[in-house]
């Protein structure tokens, strides 16, 4: 025992440690501020009285704890010298043991489980400190000096009151373990990323809302504890922690783990709340860290490969985060349990390959139609009943696998035909939604589940060329349908629901197995087109009479034996096809069916219309019937161009009142003798057939005016043709006629005759110089007289060419033959007693003519002015001819003067100047009035009393001389002679100057002397 109380001791000597037997030490009421640590060696000390001293060391809390606590405290300090360790845990300290700060050699220090609030600045002296444990204190901040603890490898400040971590912690680059759990940290400094040697980082039970990206710098980290914070996400840089083996994230609000975690190949333990997590999906998290890591790794690696395989991962739904991977070109979700797909999958617009095989998918979102780069998609082993029609837009899709589904649309028949057919089917359905026209032909369908198509407003549906034996009753739901095509199927009946298709206007049932018209058809009262060709129907039921809007009915290739009486009720019918049935009698009253445009009857047992017409098709049949009907009203029967070999006798008998019969362009070989019944016939056209003869009975048609039998095989004409004296046109060209009947000359009214004369026997034998056309064709008047007349005519031409003299008188010629005009050496031409009405201008080319005779040509009225060119003409015989041109006063002159008169007009036609002075004309000659381009006209010294109305045609005149005539006035139409500059009207019988003269604004010269004017009109001044 040692008592030293009540002194002035300021310290106790360290050597007191030698008092090993000391049990009690009393040093009360001194000036001691510290107890030397050497006292720690006094293991027997049981009582230590320190009252009345200003003790700082040990701390007050230790002193108050009694001798044992003091000894323990001192032992920790004293032991530092040997162990370089100290543990002040659980001593109730409120301050950091500053004594330690002087012992720089210390390597391990623990002050856990105390009440320390502040870390003293002297701590920076512990430069050799390797481990520092300050858990369970009340520290709210760290002293910046902590940065000097460069040897520190272990730092634990858990369960304190830290609200932040000073950036200087990032200077502790040797740190291996950092424990900061159980504080109030809301963030950590980015400088912490400099701790490249850190192996463990404990930040659990804080208030962290985010982690800095710099955490990626902790590349040596093995363990990261972040449980029970407020983290909503993790930075992608966590993927750089490639040595991480344990990650704790429980108690946060993280919904999506960064995909970069998938790169952490050493991670073996990861705890996370699967109830909040979306990425990876809960079902993956439930399978453990390995599954999570595999999921994240695959997703992360897909960024580089652009290929993601999440097969057999137990996925319940399509992971939404996958939709953000727009770079993906290949995605496999095979072998999961996905039940539904969200529209977000459509965001993967770069996908080329997609596998959703072996799932539980029932529906596909239509948004997938935007995956237009897809070339392959597998949907095998799902629960799909439909494929969206919008998939038709996947134009690049080459392989679509749909096996082992319960598909209704596309139907299995389409699926079995491959991807191209599936897409074609979908395109048809998709197009129908806008066009309302659904085309499902040629698909080998055995059924059509209408309810799965998703289209109820279709107006046109084609199911032709399939294998349908029945129609789904749901077809009645297509209430808007207007056209339904069902041809080439196996149908024998229609479901009762068809009667609901009340808007149907067209129905095609061709090539099915109907033995009778389906009863439901009668209710389709708006039907306009009904086709039921190539079935085995024997009759058309009377019930169809209700189809009064019917416009087209096709019943070809059935077993009909006749037409039902109800046909006459179909007044709107425009098309009727009943070919290839067993109809033998055409009883149909076509007059009732006034709108009929097409009728097909071929392949029946009919005898009328002719077979050739029936075989020519619908248009000719209708045209044939139409023409027969028209003939009854117009009496013109036109059966041209039907290819008939014979005209039915019944047609002649039924049209005996016909006035015109046209049978051109057929293949007729003969005309029936019943033609004689057509007494009123005025025209018959038989051209372009194969007739070998004309019936003699044709002569019993006395009213006939035109007979055209050209382009046939006629070798002779019936003798009775001479009875057709009213004929004006006889056309027989392109026939090999060998002779002409003598009575042909009786046809004196002929004005149009065409006969191939070069084949006539007599002409061919004689070798006459004639042709069937051109100048060497004899006039028809000669031809009608027969072969002798033709030969005589040819002989006269021949002789005339040789002698220069030609006599064609008394031949009944209506015009000068063209051959005559070619005989340029003629000096004499006799044309007396013919029926000439005019002379051709070409006669002026016969320059050597000296004599020409037209005696007895009473119909001739004028000589052509070009005859004035016949300057050698000295004899002109016009006996019995009353000419208008030239005027009679001229015809009294010598022939040379007459020719001169005509020559004036011929010249005027070229120079537009005409001089008719002192001829004695009573009026302006007609031949002058046709020269409408005249500019100068001199009529001086004639006896003209007035200008006739036709004189107005000479409005181009600039110089008009009417002096010394007998004019009493001038016509008002002279006002239109806008070019008239000179007008001479002197020495006429005018009593006043006509007012029209005052209106001639272009007049420059006016000579009106020698008249009987009393005054000049005032208007003359204008």
């Amino acid at each position: 025992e040692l008592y030293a109380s009540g002194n002035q001791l300021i310290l106790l000597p360290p050597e007191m440690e030698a008092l090993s037997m000391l049990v009690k030490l009393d040093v009360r009421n001194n000036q001691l501020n510290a107890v030397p640590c050497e006292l720690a060696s006094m293991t027997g000390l049981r009582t230590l009285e320190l009252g009345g001293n200003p003790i700082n060391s040990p701390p007050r809390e230790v002193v108050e704890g009694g001798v044992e606590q003091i000894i323990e405290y001192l032992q920790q300090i004293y032991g530092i010298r040997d162990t370089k360790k100290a543990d002040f845990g659980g001593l109730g300290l409120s301050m950091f043991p500053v004594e330690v700060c002087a012992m720089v050699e210390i390597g391990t220090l623990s002050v856990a489980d105390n009440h320390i609030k502040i870390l003293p600045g002297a701590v920076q002296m512990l430069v050799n400190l390797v481990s520092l444990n300050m858990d369970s204190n009340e520290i709210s901040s760290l002293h910046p000096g902590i940065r000097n603890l460069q040897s520190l490898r272990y730092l634990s400040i858990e369960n304190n009151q830290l609200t932040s971590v000073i950036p200087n912690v990032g200077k502790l680059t040797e740190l291996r373990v950092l424990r900061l759990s159980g504080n109030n940290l809301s963030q950590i400094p980015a400088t912490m990323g400099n701790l490249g040697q850190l192996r463990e980082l404990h930040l659990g039970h804080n208030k962290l809302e985010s982690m800095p990206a710099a955490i990626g710098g902790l590349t040596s980290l093995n363990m990261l504890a972040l449980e029970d914070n407020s983290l909503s996400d993790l930075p992608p840089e966590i993927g750089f922690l490639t040595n991480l083996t344990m990650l704790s994230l429980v108690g946060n609000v993280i919904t999506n783990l960064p995909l970069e975690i998938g790169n952490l190949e050493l991670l073996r333990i990861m705890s996370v709340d699967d109830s909040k997590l979306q990425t990876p999906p809960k079902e993956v998290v439930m399978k453990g860290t390995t599954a999570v890591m595999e999921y994240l790794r695959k997703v992360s690696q897909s960024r580089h490969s652009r290929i993601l395989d999440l097969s057999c991962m137990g996925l319940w739904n399509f992971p939404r985060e996958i939709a953000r991977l727009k770079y993906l070109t290949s995605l496999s979700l095979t072998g999961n349990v996905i039940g539904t797909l969200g529209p977000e999958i459509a965001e993967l617009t770069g996908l080329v390959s997609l596998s959703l095989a072996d799932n539980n998918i029932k529906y596909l979102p239509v948004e997938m139609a935007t995956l237009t780069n897809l070339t392959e998609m597998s949907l095998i082993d799902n629960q799909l009943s439909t494929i969206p029609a919008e998939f038709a837009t996947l134009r690049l899709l080459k392989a679509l696998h749909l096996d082992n589904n319960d598909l209704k649309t596309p139907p299995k028949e389409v699926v079995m035909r491959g991807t191209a057919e599936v897409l074609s089917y979908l395109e048809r359905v998709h197009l129908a939604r806008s066009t309302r026209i659904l085309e499902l032909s040629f698909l080998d369908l055995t059924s059509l589940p209408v309810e799965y198509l998703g289209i109820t407003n279709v107006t046109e549906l084609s199911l032709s060329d399939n294998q349908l034996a029945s129609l789904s009753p749901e077809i009645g739901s297509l209430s808007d349908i207007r056209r339904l095509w069902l041809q080439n199927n196996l149908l024998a009946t229609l479901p009762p629901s068809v009667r609901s298709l009340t808007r149907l206007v067209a129905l095609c049932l061709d090539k099915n197995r109907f033995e009778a018209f389906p009863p439901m058809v009668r209710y389709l009262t708006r039907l306009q087109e009904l086709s039921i060709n190539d079935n085995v129907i024997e009759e058309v039921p009377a019930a169809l009479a209700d189809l009064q809007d019917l416009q087209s009915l096709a019943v070809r290739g059935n077993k009909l034996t006749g037409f039902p009486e109800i046909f006459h009720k179909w007044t709107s019918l425009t098309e009727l096809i009943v070919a290839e049935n067993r109809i033998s009698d055409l009883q149909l009253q076509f007059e009732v069916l006034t709108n009929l445009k097409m009728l097909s009857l071929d392949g029946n047992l009919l005898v009328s219309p002719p077979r050739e017409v029936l075989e020519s098709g619908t248009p000719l049949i209708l045209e044939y019937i139409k023409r027969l009907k028209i003939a009854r009203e117009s009496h013109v029967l036109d059966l041209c161009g039907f290819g008939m070999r014979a005209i039915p006798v019944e047609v002649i008998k039924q049209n005996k009142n016909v006035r015109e019969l046209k049978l051109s362009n057929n293949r007729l070989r003969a005309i029936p003798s019943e033609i004689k019944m057509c007494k009123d016939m005025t025209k018959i056209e038989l051209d372009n057939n194969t007739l070998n003869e004309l019936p003699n009975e044709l002569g019993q048609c006395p009213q006939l005016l035109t007979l055209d039998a050209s382009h046939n095989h006629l070798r002779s004409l019936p003798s009775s043709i001479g009875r057709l004296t009213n004929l004006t046109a006889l056309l027989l060209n392109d026939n090999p006629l060998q002779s002409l009947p003598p009575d042909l000359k009786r046809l004196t009214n002929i004005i149009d005759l065409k006969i191939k004369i070069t084949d006539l026997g007599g002409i061919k034998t004689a070798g006459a110089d004639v042709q069937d056309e051109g100048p060497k064709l004899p006039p028809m008047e000669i031809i009608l007289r027969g072969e002798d007349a033709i030969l005589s005519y040819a002989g006269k031409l021949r002789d005339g060419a040789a002698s220069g003299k030609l006599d064609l008188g008394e031949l009944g010629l209506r015009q000068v033959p063209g051959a005559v005009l070619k005989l340029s050496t003629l000096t004499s031409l006799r044309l007396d007693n013919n029926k000439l009405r005019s002379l051709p201008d070409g006669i002026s080319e016969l320059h050597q003519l000296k004599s020409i005779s037209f005696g007895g040509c009473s119909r001739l009225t004028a000589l052509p002015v070009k005859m004035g060119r016949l300057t050698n003409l000295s004899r002109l015989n016009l006996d019995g001819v009353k000419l208008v041109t030239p005027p009679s006063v001229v015809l009294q002159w010598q022939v040379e003067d007459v020719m001169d008169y005509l020559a004036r007009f011929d010249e005027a036609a070229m120079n537009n100047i005409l001089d008719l002075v002192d001829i004695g004309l009573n009026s302006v000659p007609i031949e002058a009035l046709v020269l409408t381009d005249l500019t100068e006209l001199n009529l001086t010294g004639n006896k003209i009393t007035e200008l006739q109305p036709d004189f107005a045609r000479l409005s181009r005149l600039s110089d008009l001389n009417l002096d010394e005539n007998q004019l009493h006035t001038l016509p008002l139409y002279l006002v239109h002679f806008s070019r008239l500059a000179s007008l001479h009207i002197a020495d006429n019988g005018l009593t006043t100057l006509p007012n029209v003269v005052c209106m001639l604004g272009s007049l420059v010269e006016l000579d009106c002397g020698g008249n009987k004017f009393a005054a000049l009109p005032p208007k003359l001044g204008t």
Side-chain angles (χ1 to χ4, degrees):
E1 294 182 2
L2 175 59
Y3 296 91
S5 61
N7 291 291
Q8 297 294 316
L9 297 175
I10 59 175
L11 58 84
L12 295 177
E15 291 80 4
M16 287 183 67
E17 65 179 337
L19 302 178
S20 60
M21 300 298 292
L22 193 64
V23 174
K24 180 177 180 180
L25 175 60
D26 184 359
V27 288
R28 290 177 295 172
N29 301 316
N30 283 283
Q31 300 297 317
L32 296 174
N33 56 19
V35 176
C37 61
E38 286 79 4
L39 266 64
S41 61
M42 298 179 179
T43 57
L45 191 64
R46 295 290 179 269
T47 303
L48 177 60
E49 299 291 345
L50 296 173
N53 287 285
I55 298 295
N56 294 322
S57 175
R60 179 178 53 81
E61 306 92 285
V62 174
V63 173
E64 292 176 353
V67 65
E68 292 181 0
Q69 193 168 341
I70 293 173
I71 295 301
E72 181 181 358
Y73 180 88
L74 294 176
Q75 285 177 345
Q76 292 298 323
I77 296 175
Y78 185 76
I80 292 174
R81 298 174 182 176
D82 299 323
T83 65
K84 297 183 174 56
K85 296 179 180 180
D87 184 357
F88 298 99
L91 297 180
L93 302 178
S94 62
M95 296 180 60
F96 191 88
V98 293
E99 300 89 341
V100 177
C101 297
M103 308 184 76
V104 295
E105 68 275 17
I106 190 170
T108 302
L109 175 62
S110 174
V111 291
D113 299 311
N114 286 287
H115 302 286
I116 299 171
K117 293 181 172 59
I118 298 174
L119 194 63
V123 75
Q124 62 185 326
M125 303 300 295
L126 304 178
V127 294
N128 293 309
L129 196 63
V130 174
S131 175
L132 176 59
N133 184 350
M134 295 187 287
D135 294 347
S136 302
N137 280 280
E138 299 175 9
I139 299 171
S140 61
S141 64
L142 297 178
H143 193 281
I146 199 171
R147 66 187 178 191
N148 293 328
L149 307 183
Q150 293 296 308
S151 298
L152 199 62
R153 291 191 172 198
Y154 179 94
L155 174 60
S156 181
I157 319 178
E158 294 184 332
N159 301 314
N160 279 272
Q161 298 179 11
L162 291 175
T163 57
S164 65
V165 178
I166 59 174
N168 287 341
V169 171
K171 302 291 185 178
L172 306 179
T173 56
E174 293 297 319
L175 206 58
R176 300 297 193 273
V177 178
L178 176 58
R179 306 177 68 96
L180 297 174
S181 300
N183 284 280
N184 294 317
L185 298 176
S186 60
Q187 60 182 2
I188 60 174
T191 55
M192 194 176 288
N194 298 329
L195 306 180
Q197 300 294 323
L198 197 64
R199 302 293 193 273
E200 295 182 21
L201 176 60
H202 298 264
L203 293 171
H205 307 282
N206 279 284
K207 298 180 180 180
L208 296 175
E209 297 179 354
S210 64
M211 293 292 289
I215 195 175
L218 306 181
T219 55
S220 299
L221 202 64
N222 301 132
M223 178 179 180
L224 176 59
L226 296 170
E227 68 275 7
D228 293 319
N229 277 280
S230 299
L231 295 173
S232 59
D233 56 24
L234 293 176
E237 288 76 9
I238 198 172
F240 296 132
L241 309 183
T242 54
N243 287 300
L244 200 65
T245 60
M246 185 272 185
L247 174 62
S248 176
L249 298 170
V250 175
N252 284 280
V253 290
I254 297 175
T255 57
N256 298 292
L257 291 180
L259 302 179
E260 289 74 10
I261 290 181
N263 298 330
L264 308 181
E265 297 181 358
L266 299 180
L267 189 63
R268 296 293 179 265
I269 300 174
M270 180 171 62
S271 56
V272 64
D273 289 330
D274 56 13
S275 61
K276 300 175 182 178
L277 203 60
Q278 297 178 5
T279 302
K282 177 172 62 175
E283 54 269 31
V284 175
V285 177
M286 292 172 61
K287 295 173 71 174
T289 301
T290 301
V292 171
M293 294 302 299
E294 180 184 8
Y295 178 93
L296 295 175
R297 181 170 58 255
K298 287 183 175 182
V299 176
S300 179
Q301 291 175 351
S302 70
R303 294 178 174 178
H304 304 290
S305 66
R306 304 176 71 184
I307 298 173
L308 179 57
D309 185 355
L310 296 180
S311 301
C312 303
M313 300 204 72
L315 297 175
W316 300 341
N317 298 290
F318 177 77
R320 293 190 177 183
E321 67 274 9
I322 303 302
R324 295 192 292 269
L325 310 181
K326 294 181 173 51
Y327 51 80
L328 283 182
T329 59
S330 176
L331 173 61
S332 175
L333 295 171
T334 302
N336 287 286
V337 287
I338 297 173
T340 58
L341 287 177
E344 58 273 5
I345 192 174
E347 298 177 25
L348 301 176
T349 54
L351 278 182
V352 175
S353 174
L354 173 62
S355 177
L356 298 169
D358 195 14
N359 279 280
N360 298 325
I361 300 172
K362 296 181 179 180
Y363 305 101
L364 296 174
V366 296
E367 290 81 2
M368 287 179 66
T370 61
L371 304 179
T372 54
N373 287 310
L374 275 179
T375 61
E376 182 178 7
M377 178 163 57
S378 178
L379 298 168
I380 296 172
D381 292 312
N382 278 282
Q383 300 176 21
L384 296 170
S385 60
T386 63
I387 301 297
E390 289 78 4
F391 280 25
T393 59
L394 304 179
R395 308 289 186 191
L396 301 180
L397 198 61
K398 303 302 180 187
L400 176 59
H401 307 291
L402 298 170
D403 300 345
N404 297 330
N405 281 281
D406 189 21
L407 284 174
K408 299 297 187 297
T409 179
K412 62 181 180 180
E413 299 90 346
V414 176
V415 175
M416 292 173 63
R417 296 171 70 171
T419 300
E421 289 295 329
V422 170
L423 291 179
S424 175
Y425 175 90
L426 295 176
E427 183 173 10
R428 298 181 191 189
V429 176
H430 185 252
L431 187 62
R433 295 181 179 175
S434 57
T435 64
R436 303 179 67 185
I437 299 174
L438 181 56
E439 170 61 60
L440 297 177
S441 302
F442 297 98
L443 297 176
D444 294 329
L445 300 178
T446 58
S447 63
L448 179 67
V450 177
E451 64 273 20
Y452 287 94
L453 292 177
I455 309 173
T456 57
N457 64 342
V458 64
T459 59
E460 183 170 339
L461 173 61
S462 177
L463 295 169
S464 66
D465 299 277
N466 285 291
Q467 300 294 320
L468 297 174
S470 63
L471 286 182
S472 170
E474 283 77 13
I475 197 166
S477 64
L478 305 178
S479 57
D480 289 337
I481 195 168
R482 295 176 58 82
R483 296 181 178 274
L484 178 58
W485 313 107
L486 298 170
Q487 65 268 32
N488 286 310
N489 279 285
L490 306 174
L491 298 171
T493 185
L494 296 178
S497 59
V498 167
R499 67 186 297 173
S500 301
L501 308 181
T502 55
R503 298 186 180 183
L504 203 64
V505 297
L507 174 62
C508 182
L509 301 171
D510 296 349
K511 295 184 179 180
N512 278 280
R513 298 181 178 179
F514 292 101
E515 297 180 357
F517 272 86
M520 296 302 107
V521 173
R522 65 174 297 184
Y523 299 104
L524 308 177
T525 55
R526 294 189 182 181
L527 209 58
Q528 298 176 8
E529 301 174 21
L530 175 59
S531 181
I532 195 166
N533 297 320
D534 300 310
N535 284 277
V536 287
I537 296 173
E538 296 183 356
E539 65 175 354
V540 179
L544 295 187
D546 295 334
L547 307 182
Q548 297 186 9
D549 290 339
L550 199 63
Q551 298 178 10
S552 174
L553 175 63
V555 202
R556 183 190 64 244
N558 282 279
K559 296 183 178 181
L560 299 179
T561 56
F563 294 97
E565 295 182 358
I566 62 169
F567 271 30
H568 72 276
K569 294 187 178 181
W570 293 333
T571 55
S572 299
L573 205 63
T574 62
E575 181 180 70
L576 176 59
I577 301 175
V578 289
E580 300 176 20
N581 278 279
R582 301 175 181 178
I583 299 171
S584 59
D585 188 12
L586 189 62
Q587 300 175 350
L588 184 62
Q589 297 295 319
F590 287 100
E591 289 83 359
V592 178
L593 304 180
T594 55
N595 295 308
L596 195 63
K597 298 291 188 299
M598 181 177 183
L599 174 64
S600 176
L601 299 168
D602 54 295
N604 280 285
L605 305 177
L606 294 169
V607 295
S608 178
R611 181 170 57 85
E612 299 90 351
V613 176
L614 292 176
E615 291 176 350
S616 297
T618 298
L620 277 184
I621 296 174
L622 289 175
E623 185 64 23
Y624 180 90
I625 296 173
K626 176 182 177 181
R627 293 188 187 183
L628 288 179
K629 181 179 178 181
I630 292 174
R632 297 177 189 178
E633 301 173 357
S634 66
H635 301 294
V636 176
L637 178 56
D638 183 355
L639 295 179
C640 298
F642 286 99
M644 296 183 297
R645 291 186 173 88
I647 180 172
V649 174
E650 293 80 2
V651 172
I652 299 294
K653 292 179 178 180
Q654 294 171 2
N655 293 278
K656 59 184 179 180
N657 295 323
V658 70
R659 288 195 293 272
E660 294 185 18
L661 177 58
K662 300 180 180 181
L663 298 171
S664 305
N665 297 299
N666 282 288
R667 291 180 283 174
L668 300 176
R669 296 178 180 176
I671 302 298
S673 59
E674 285 77 8
I675 195 72
K676 65 184 178 182
M677 302 173 64
C678 302
K679 300 294 185 181
D680 298 328
M681 185 168 58
T682 61
K683 183 177 183 179
I684 182 169
E685 296 178 2
L686 302 171
D687 56 289
N688 292 289
N689 281 283
T690 58
L691 297 172
N692 293 315
E693 61 178 2
L694 295 178
N696 204 49
E697 289 79 6
L698 193 61
Q700 300 182 38
C701 301
Q703 303 300 322
L704 202 59
L705 299 177
T706 300
L707 170 58
D708 185 355
S710 58
H711 305 288
N712 277 283
H713 300 161
L714 298 176
R715 301 179 65 84
S716 63
L717 297 176
S719 58
S720 64
I721 198 170
R723 301 177 192 173
L724 305 177
T725 54
N726 289 317
L727 271 182
T728 59
L730 178 60
L731 309 178
L732 299 169
N733 48 303
D734 287 325
N735 280 286
L737 290 172
Q738 299 298 304
S739 62
L740 298 176
D743 286 347
L744 199 63
K745 61 186 176 183
R746 297 176 59 188
L747 307 181
T748 57
N749 290 313
I750 292 288
I751 58 175
D752 188 4
L753 175 66
K754 290 182 175 61
I755 295 179
K756 189 175 183 181
I757 62 174
T758 55
D759 283 344
L760 294 173
I763 304 300
K764 187 180 295 185
T765 301
D769 187 18
V770 294
Q771 294 179 351
D772 294 318
E773 58 184 19
K776 292 187 178 182
L777 173 66
M780 62 180 176
E781 299 88 352
I782 302 298
I783 296 174
L784 290 172
R785 290 170 179 253
E787 296 172 65
D788 291 340
I790 296 173
L791 291 173
S792 174
Y793 171 80
K796 289 183 178 184
L797 289 179
R798 183 182 63 250
D799 294 343
S803 65
K805 297 180 179 181
L806 180 58
D807 185 355
L808 294 181
E810 293 80 29
L811 293 180
L813 298 175
R814 292 189 177 93
Q815 59 185 16
V816 178
V820 173
L821 305 180
K822 300 296 182 180
L823 302 176
S824 59
T825 60
L826 280 181
T827 59
S828 174
L829 176 59
R830 182 176 177 271
L831 293 168
D832 294 350
N833 300 312
N834 279 292
K835 299 178 180 180
L836 300 174
R837 293 182 179 276
S838 63
L839 298 176
D841 287 343
I843 202 169
S844 63
E845 300 299 322
L846 304 177
H847 299 298
Q848 298 186 32
L849 271 182
K850 296 179 180 180
S851 173
I852 188 168
S853 177
F854 299 111
C857 295
S858 58
R859 301 182 184 183
L860 192 63
T861 59
L863 297 179
V865 296
K866 290 187 178 181
M867 276 187 65
R869 300 177 185 180
L870 302 178
T871 56
N872 291 317
L873 195 65
S874 59
R875 181 176 179 274
L876 176 62
N877 179 20
L878 294 171
D879 293 344
V881 180
K882 296 182 179 180
L883 295 176
V884 176
T885 301
S888 58
V889 65
V890 175
L891 292 175
Q892 297 173 12
W893 300 350
Q894 295 295 321
V895 174
E896 293 82 356
D897 296 332
V898 173
M899 294 300 105
D900 177 66
Y901 174 85
L902 294 175
R904 296 184 189 186
F905 291 91
D906 191 20
E907 294 174 1
M910 293 182 287
N911 60 21
N912 297 324
I913 298 174
L914 180 59
D915 186 356
L916 297 177
V917 177
D918 296 327
I919 293 178
L921 298 172
N922 293 320
S923 62
V924 180
I926 295 174
E927 53 269 31
L929 300 178
V930 299
L931 300 174
T932 55
D933 289 331
L934 278 180
T935 58
E936 296 183 20
L937 175 59
N938 192 343
L939 293 169
T940 301
N942 286 287
K943 301 177 181 180
I944 299 172
T945 59
E946 65 176 352
L947 299 179
Q948 57 266 52
D950 285 346
F951 190 84
R953 299 165 65 184
L954 307 181
S955 60
R956 293 177 177 269
L957 284 173
S958 62
D959 190 336
L960 176 59
N961 195 329
L962 296 169
D963 290 346
E964 300 178 17
N965 277 280
Q966 298 176 12
L967 294 170
H968 295 291
T969 186
L970 294 177
L972 187 60
Y973 60 68
L974 285 180
V975 72
H976 299 298
F977 284 46
S978 59
R979 302 181 183 182
L980 194 61
S982 176
L983 176 62
H984 295 260
I985 52 174
D987 299 312
N988 277 278
L990 297 170
T991 57
T992 60
L993 183 65
N995 288 332
V996 69
V997 175
C998 302
M999 301 178 188
L1000 299 174
S1002 60
L1003 201 60
V1004 175
E1005 180 182 353
L1006 173 62
D1007 184 357
C1008 56
N1011 284 289
K1012 301 176 181 180
F1013 300 157
L1016 294 176
K1019 292 184 179 181
L1020 185 62
T1022 63

